[in-house]
Amino acid sequence: MGASGYNFHKLLSLWLNGFTAFSIKPLRIATIAGAFCAFMGFLFGVWVIIRKLCHPEILAGYSSMVALLLFIGGVIMLMLGLIGEYIGRIYICINQSPQYVVRQTINIDQDE
């Protein structure tokens, strides 16, 4: 038996290329993660405001900064994911590769 010429780095690079070359699914995951982070940052910000109104003796600063960073980071990730999806769709259209492949046909003549 022969030995593989691929080391771990080459195999990881091959997997990453195969994972990202034919699909916009990773971009969709980034979009969803960004929307989730932005939503959680918004909810955390509302919670910080309500907590500050109910207990005015609580010092403001750390919690509000974390909420703001989470919200802004989520919005940035959401926008980058949306831009990436547009670029991915442009790539699929320019490449003229089909978005699906017919594996099997039933009751269709081969002459057609």
Side-chain angles (χ1 to χ4, degrees), residues 10-99:
K10 286 182 180 179
L11 284 174
L12 188 63
S13 176
L14 179 67
W15 173 81
L16 188 62
N17 186 26
F19 186 66
T20 59
F22 304 109
S23 175
I24 58 171
K25 296 285 185 204
L27 300 170
R28 177 115 350 119
I29 292 170
T31 304
I32 292 170
F36 179 74
C37 285
F39 181 71
M40 292 305 290
F42 178 75
L43 287 181
F44 189 59
V46 169
W47 180 72
V48 167
I49 291 170
I50 290 173
R51 197 177 79 175
K52 180 66 176 169
L53 291 175
C54 292
H55 304 288
E57 68 274 359
I58 295 176
L59 297 175
Y62 179 73
S63 299
S64 59
M65 186 64 72
V66 169
L68 185 65
L69 285 174
L70 187 62
F71 178 72
I72 291 175
V75 169
I76 290 171
M77 190 187 254
L78 175 68
M79 293 300 132
L80 284 175
L82 289 175
I83 291 169
E85 285 196 37
Y86 279 121
I87 292 172
R89 289 177 191 266
I90 290 169
Y91 173 73
I92 288 172
C93 289
I94 289 175
N95 196 15
Q96 295 179 351
S97 63
Q99 293 186 8

